[in-house]
Amino acid sequence: MSALDDVFARCRAEERAALVAYLPAGYPDLDTSVAAVRAVAAAGADVIEVGVPYTDPLMDGPVIEQAASQALANGFRLAQVFDVVRAVREAGAVPVVMSYWNPVLRHGPDRFAAELAAAGGAGMITPDLIPDEAQVWRAAADEHGLDPVFLVAPSSTDDRLRMTAEACRGFVYVASTMGVTGARTSVGGSAAALVERTRAVTDLPLCVGLGVSTGEQAAEVARFADGVIVGSALVRTVGEDPTLGRLRELTAELARGVRR
Amino acid sequence: MNAPAGRFGGFGGRYVPEALVAALEELDRAWHDALGDPDFGEELARLHRDYTGRPSPLTEVPRFAEHAGGARVFLKREDLNHTGSHKINNVLGQALLTVRMGKKRVIAETGAGQHGVATATAAALMGLDCVVYMGEVDTRRQALNVARMRLLGAEVVPVSTGSATLKDAINEAMRDWVTNVGDTHYLLGTVTGPHPFPTMVRDFHSVIGVEAREQILARTGRLPDAVCACVGGGSNAMGIFHAFRDDPEVRLHGFEAGGEGVESGRHAARFSGGVPGVLHGAATYVLQDDDGQTRETHSISAGLDYPSVGPEHAYLHDTGRATYAPVTDTEAMDAFALLCRTEGIIPAIESAHALAGALRVGRRLTEENPDPERPPVVVVNLSGRGDKDVDTAARWFGLVDAEDLVEAEQLKADEPVAEAEGSGW
């Protein structure tokens, strides 16, 4: 059993969805990002996706794109992602990394996997690496006991849903809508339909991302998904309130949402 | 699991969000269907002939060639195409595919504006909505091309994220595409990006090399010793290289933007300063730092100012079939001036990099084989015309004095006028 298997089993036993929080490493600076992951872990996040800031984040909307730019401008270096992963682990949540492929490729996929595992990371989500291109990463993840997590999208065919789910461990990242990351007023319909289609091909936990920003939406998604992923809305509160008070409040609201 | 699609050795592939895979497969199918449909081929050929003005001429330039060590130099005149560059070849093909797929909207990225203008042109011709993403820095520098696109009915969206240049315009176009992929085709302007773009765009441009090969055989009775082209993303180069790929006696030379010199760090020479990586959906050479972050680039030529390069070029580089070398801003501008003065042809600054490279290649070939009875033959792809670059060139050569510059800046402040149009992307 991996740490991800454990946490989803525990949430299932509690008859609730997991709260999966995304925060970029190094935003707005390294120390604040470490404090931020501790804050969301304390406020009820079960899994924390530690984002790797990248110069060309083409899957991300303006909030995360700007956070990445600021982190890089403030001197973020790739190896610092492991410091943040370690902080998540120490705070009692399950850390996974979310990274575009090129930083990992440049670092060396096997070396990255080894260092991530050593820091206590449970796996990695790869927004621009589909299983078709992931032989190298999957081998590295296998070698170091990490869970590879790939995305499915509303446009995925049933064949691709099956192929992608088979390549995942830990959970499957269900991208609720066609589009980039960012808060949306509605995430309902297409997400539920895609979760249903994905359930038909896998027993893995399904976590829904893209667009959730309130406790109300979290509760809505928690009715049909095993995990609720929140990113841009959390990242925005860090920018607006670097004392992290609003981050704690929103995380607590979301944690109540997944328990409704 | 599916086999990796669209590989050139270890390069190429599809490093994209899952959400785009369905659209890439739809595009791949539509393209292959079209290849099997004689009506598609006839329609594209008709547009090339009656709209673009193909075949483009092959012009021998003997006065220019006096500076190339005794080689004979021929220019493939893509500069004479409608819209002023080779870009229209690919744009017309993809616009026809857009109509075949039943999509009503095209989006495109552009750096200097040439691909954006070509896309706006084809969209007007075929009745498609058109949105062009352009780095904010470039929209300011290239205000005249922004106006051209708007005259043609396109919406131009300035992109202010990241470095606010071409690579960021591609990011923004990808974001639009992933959101609107149901009714939108991303009309990518060069031979990079996820499969099938590198192969498809190359094939739409391969008409350049097919014509050039026939023309040079007709004129000289033999194949050229070398073919030269500038390489930004690399579409004009792939277009002319492709027809010569199985002629081992023809050397293929790509010239990248050396900017202020590779040692200065201010350049866009991917094969001198880059390493294999992934950018914008393709595995290829990328200018990046030790953490895999994309590095900023510099070139006097907006169309070559890009941190990555088409994956087939990466393959041709690694296999040694083609060679790539940087050309500095200064060398390119010297070649620009030389062609103007000796032949009465104003090239795009992008294409001037190929001209500078051809001078080197001609001299080297002559040294290697000094036979006055059989001078080396060099074909250069003159990918674009330089009317648009007049302002940049005038400043470079000091052809406008300080008072003119002050007055021009005043006019600019009152009413935006282009500093340069650019001719690449």
Side-chain angles (χ1 to χ4, degrees), chain B residues 5-349:
Chain B
R7 285 283 174 176
F8 307 95
F11 300 106
R14 264 184 193 161
Y15 296 85
V16 291
E18 168 66 18
L20 288 178
V21 171
L24 293 169
E25 293 192 344
E26 178 191 20
L27 177 62
D28 200 23
R29 278 194 304 275
W31 172 47
H32 281 100
D33 286 352
L35 291 179
D37 178 356
D39 290 346
F40 179 85
E42 279 170 28
E43 177 65 2
L44 188 55
R46 185 189 67 77
L47 287 169
H48 281 334
R49 186 185 64 238
D50 300 342
Y51 192 69
T52 305
R54 303 205 72 89
S56 64
L58 188 74
T59 305
E60 183 163 14
V61 284
R63 279 171 43 76
F64 178 81
E66 286 172 11
H67 301 264
R72 295 180 70 184
V73 177
F74 295 79
L75 306 183
K76 180 59 176 163
R77 302 293 304 279
E78 294 298 297
D79 61 316
L80 296 178
N81 293 342
H82 179 44
T83 72
S85 81
H86 72 291
K87 292 292 184 189
I88 191 76
N89 302 323
N90 163 54
V91 163
L92 288 172
Q94 286 198 50
L96 286 177
L97 286 182
T98 306
V99 173
R100 283 175 78 92
M101 291 187 288
K103 294 188 174 185
K104 304 290 185 210
R105 178 174 179 265
V106 288
I107 56 175
E109 81 294 345
T110 201
Q114 210 63 13
H115 175 59
V117 166
T119 303
T121 298
L125 178 68
M126 298 187 197
L128 301 166
D129 291 336
C130 178
V131 175
V132 178
Y133 290 94
M134 188 169 185
E136 196 174 29
V137 171
D138 294 333
T139 61
R140 283 201 302 272
R141 290 191 301 199
Q142 316 286 347
L144 190 63
N145 263 351
V146 174
R148 281 172 84 188
M149 290 184 266
R150 288 180 176 151
L151 282 172
L152 292 160
E155 180 189 350
V156 180
V157 179
V159 176
S160 57
T161 53
S163 56
T165 57
L166 176 60
K167 82 174 176 66
D168 307 285
I170 295 178
N171 293 340
E172 209 55 39
M174 287 277 190
R175 291 178 184 125
D176 179 318
W177 201 31
V178 77
T179 307
N180 300 299
V181 68
D183 71 345
T184 297
H185 174 60
Y186 180 14
L187 211 160
L188 186 61
T190 192
V191 288
T192 189
H195 176 72
F197 284 108
T199 311
M200 181 181 72
V201 174
R202 175 200 73 198
D203 283 2
F204 283 138
H205 281 304
S206 63
V207 63
I208 303 170
V210 169
E211 289 176 4
R213 196 173 183 281
E214 283 174 13
Q215 288 164 325
I216 197 72
L217 283 171
R219 296 279 278 283
T220 66
R222 66 183 185 93
L223 288 169
D225 298 283
V227 173
C228 298
C230 63
V231 182
S235 65
N236 91 78
M238 279 317 309
I240 196 161
F241 285 177
H242 195 56
F244 297 98
R245 67 193 182 285
D246 296 327
D247 301 317
E249 67 272 40
V250 180
R251 300 185 197 180
L252 306 177
H253 292 277
F255 294 98
E256 303 183 278
E260 294 172 8
V262 170
E263 64 292 340
S264 74
R266 288 176 50 75
H267 62 87
R270 291 71 43 103
F271 291 120
S272 297
V275 294
V278 165
L279 185 66
H280 293 143
T284 181
Y285 278 73
V286 179
L287 283 169
Q288 54 181 308
D289 69 14
D290 291 342
D291 279 355
Q293 308 289 354
T294 309
R295 273 173 31 199
E296 301 258 329
T297 54
H298 167 79
S299 170
I300 190 171
S301 137
L304 304 183
D305 197 356
Y306 179 62
S308 172
V309 62
E312 192 167 5
H313 285 294
Y315 176 71
L316 294 177
H317 172 269
D318 277 16
T319 58
R321 178 63 190 94
T323 55
Y324 298 83
V327 166
T328 63
D329 291 349
T330 301
E331 291 171 287
M333 293 310 291
D334 288 350
F336 176 101
L338 185 64
L339 192 72
C340 291
R341 298 285 179 96
T342 56
E343 298 290 345
I345 297 170
I346 302 177
I349 293 175

Side-chain angles (χ1 to χ4, degrees), chain A residues 52-61 65 69 72 76-78 101-103 105-107 127-133 135 138 151-153 155-156 160 163-164 178-180, chain B residues 1-2 4-5 7 12-22 25 161-162 167-168 171 174-175 178-179 181 275-281 286 288-294:
Chain A
V52 172
Y54 176 50
T55 41
D56 295 276
L58 54 81
M59 182 76 189
D60 283 304
E65 195 277 331
S69 290
L72 291 170
F76 171 81
R77 294 301 309 264
L78 186 63
W101 181 234
N102 198 55
L105 183 61
R106 183 76 173 119
H107 195 73
D128 65 344
L129 188 70
I130 53 178
D132 318 53
E133 304 286 4
Q135 291 86 342
R138 291 170 70 184
L151 281 71
V152 295
S155 59
S156 302
R160 291 197 60 82
M163 184 276 289
T164 303
M178 296 297 285
V180 295
Chain B
M1 181 150 62
N2 302 330
R7 285 283 174 176
R14 264 184 193 161
Y15 296 85
V16 291
E18 168 66 18
L20 288 178
V21 171
E25 293 192 344
T161 53
K167 82 174 176 66
D168 307 285
N171 293 340
M174 287 277 190
R175 291 178 184 125
V178 77
T179 307
V181 68
V275 294
V278 165
L279 185 66
H280 293 143
V286 179
Q288 54 181 308
D289 69 14
D290 291 342
D291 279 355
Q293 308 289 354
T294 309

Side-chain angles (χ1 to χ4, degrees), chain A:
Chain A
M1 291 277 277
S2 76
L4 285 169
D5 296 335
D6 288 341
V7 74
F8 286 107
R10 194 174 74 235
C11 291
R12 201 168 288 177
E14 295 173 10
E15 296 183 332
R16 67 173 178 93
L19 176 60
V20 181
Y22 170 94
L23 287 170
Y27 173 71
D29 53 52
L30 182 62
D31 289 347
T32 310
S33 70
V34 167
V37 297
R38 288 183 179 136
V40 295
D46 301 290
V47 177
I48 298 177
E49 297 177 5
V50 180
V52 172
Y54 176 50
T55 41
D56 295 276
L58 54 81
M59 182 76 189
D60 283 304
V63 171
I64 293 176
E65 195 277 331
Q66 282 161 23
S69 290
Q70 191 176 334
L72 291 170
N74 288 344
F76 171 81
R77 294 301 309 264
L78 186 63
Q80 293 170 342
V81 76
F82 304 119
D83 297 337
V84 184
V85 165
R86 223 171 269 115
V88 172
R89 192 64 156 201
E90 287 161 9
V94 177
V96 296
V97 162
M98 185 157 189
S99 183
Y100 290 90
W101 181 234
N102 198 55
V104 178
L105 183 61
R106 183 76 173 119
H107 195 73
D110 192 72
R111 178 181 164 210
F112 190 92
E115 291 173 17
L116 177 55
M124 183 166 78
I125 305 163
T126 50
D128 65 344
L129 188 70
I130 53 178
D132 318 53
E133 304 286 4
Q135 291 86 342
V136 169
W137 173 243
R138 291 170 70 184
D142 289 351
E143 174 71 23
H144 297 282
L146 296 171
D147 291 340
V149 177
F150 298 98
L151 281 71
V152 295
S155 59
S156 302
T157 60
D158 288 345
D159 281 350
R160 291 197 60 82
L161 287 182
R162 181 174 294 105
M163 184 276 289
T164 303
E166 279 170 6
C168 292
R169 283 194 302 265
F171 66 96
V172 179
Y173 190 121
V174 178
S176 63
T177 54
M178 296 297 285
V180 295
T181 56
R184 289 177 176 78
T185 50
S186 162
V187 288
S190 67
L194 181 56
V195 165
E196 190 177 330
R197 289 176 57 216
T198 312
R199 287 253 188 256
V201 298
T202 184
D203 295 327
L204 281 175
L206 306 181
C207 295
V208 170
L210 301 195
V212 176
S213 60
T214 66
E216 188 64 36
Q217 288 174 327
E220 181 194 343
V221 172
R223 281 195 277 276
F224 57 83
D226 305 298
V228 180
I229 302 171
V230 184
S232 297
L234 294 173
V235 176
R236 181 181 289 125
T237 66
V238 175
E240 289 168 353
D241 174 13
T243 70
L244 308 178
R246 294 187 56 186
L247 178 67
R248 286 188 189 86
E249 285 166 25
L250 179 58
T251 308
E253 176 190 328
L254 294 162
R256 286 192 297 275
V258 299
R259 286 169 171 79
R260 267 194 233 166

